[in-house]
Amino acid sequence: LREFMHTEQRVLATMATYMGTRSIVTLHELECFVARQEDVERFDSLRLGPIFRVPYVATEFRLPPTMSAVPKVATREVLEVLWGLLDEDRRAHAPGGGGGVRVYRGGEHTVGIPQVAARLASMRGVNSLEELGVRITGLGYFMKPLREVRNEQREAADTYLAALKAQARERQRAQEGELAAQERALAAAVESAPVRLDQFVSTVHAGIAQAVQGLVARLQALQAASGTKEWLQPGAVPSSEDMDSMRE
């Protein structure tokens, strides 16, 4: 009996210390902490009954008498709910939609324990925070770290976006440079087109003239071979005999 009483007093002291130093306490985490402190695998091994039947715990958490098991809820889940509510509130009410995490007190929009409790209970499908074995006595301790984390996230996001914009500007300048080079090349090609056309026409004319000269020389050679001269004069028409000699 004495050992049982010592164990009970020690466990109660551990619980009181744990709960007195934390503004967010979950029954699941309290059970795990006491088991570690007592060096046992499970709280039930202490033979003090289920933790939710310990009078001190039932009173502090205001547990419903119908509870039959410890809900597995961690402080992290509570903080995630708080974070989400703060972010929603900031987006909805911060001027211009900017600024860091802000908690509005005494105004039309307030993020506090009732809002966190209602959201968490709704997510878990219960009617109250007590059914989840969660006790929240304050949220102010977590506000500064949340603000710092939020600001760090904003700074990281701003830095990343600035880098993306710088890369986009560099790509745009490179594309503009390539486009300008292509435009200059096209303009040069257009300017040089008449010159190349003149050169082509001159080459064609020279080829035609050379071909005509060759044809005349050949005809003259044929004329000399056939012994005829008159039909090569302007306006002259070769006779049938001349044509026959040319064919030969």
Side-chain angles (χ1 to χ4, degrees):
L1 181 60
R2 180 176 299 178
E3 183 179 356
F4 173 81
M5 293 178 59
H6 286 168
T7 301
E8 184 181 33
Q9 292 175 358
R10 189 172 59 250
V11 169
L12 290 176
T14 300
M15 290 178 174
T17 302
Y18 183 88
M19 298 179 65
T21 56
R22 289 166 174 78
S23 56
I24 298 178
V25 183
T26 72
L27 187 60
H28 172 65
E29 291 177 334
L30 176 63
E31 183 182 43
C32 294
F33 178 78
V34 172
R36 287 195 304 270
Q37 291 298 112
E38 294 296 320
D39 196 21
V40 295
E41 185 175 351
R42 296 173 53 85
F43 182 86
D44 295 343
S45 301
L46 298 174
R47 298 181 180 179
L48 297 176
I51 192 171
F52 50 83
R53 292 286 182 257
V54 176
Y56 173 76
V57 174
T59 300
E60 291 295 324
F61 282 91
R62 295 186 295 179
L63 300 176
T66 56
M67 179 173 285
S68 58
V70 176
K72 295 186 180 301
V73 181
T75 301
R76 177 178 179 177
E77 186 174 349
V78 180
L79 293 179
E80 288 175 351
V81 171
L82 174 60
W83 175 271
L85 289 171
L86 289 174
D87 192 57
E88 291 176 8
D89 189 67
R90 179 189 64 82
R91 293 175 182 275
H93 302 97
V101 173
R102 289 187 283 178
V103 180
Y104 299 86
R105 301 180 183 278
E108 295 180 359
H109 41 285
T110 303
V111 176
I113 296 175
Q115 288 74 25
V116 174
R119 176 65 62 86
L120 184 59
S122 175
M123 292 173 56
R124 284 299 193 112
V126 297
N127 297 321
S128 66
L129 205 61
E130 289 76 15
E131 295 181 49
L132 296 175
V134 177
R135 190 190 76 158
I136 303 176
T137 57
L139 297 173
Y141 177 80
F142 300 95
M143 296 307 173
K144 183 178 179 180
L146 287 176
R147 292 191 189 99
E148 292 176 352
V149 171
R150 181 69 185 183
N151 292 336
E152 290 176 359
Q153 285 188 342
R154 286 180 59 85
E155 291 175 0
D158 291 342
T159 301
Y160 179 69
L161 290 176
L164 288 181
K165 290 179 180 178
Q167 293 176 1
R169 287 193 295 268
E170 289 295 332
R171 287 195 299 268
Q172 183 177 2
R173 283 195 290 266
Q175 292 174 356
E176 290 175 352
E178 293 177 359
L179 181 60
Q182 293 175 0
E183 290 177 349
R184 289 193 296 268
L186 180 61
V190 171
E191 290 177 358
S192 63
V195 177
R196 293 199 301 271
L197 181 60
D198 292 341
Q199 294 175 348
F200 174 75
V201 172
S202 299
T203 302
V204 172
H205 286 174
I208 293 174
Q210 185 177 1
V212 170
Q213 290 176 358
L215 180 60
V216 171
R218 187 174 179 183
L219 290 175
Q220 289 176 348
L222 291 173
Q223 176 189 8
S226 62
T228 60
K229 297 181 180 179
E230 296 78 7
W231 62 271
L232 288 176
Q233 302 300 323
V237 178
S239 63
S240 58
E241 296 177 355
D242 292 332
M243 293 297 294
D244 293 337
S245 63
M246 289 176 62
R247 291 191 188 96
E248 294 174 356

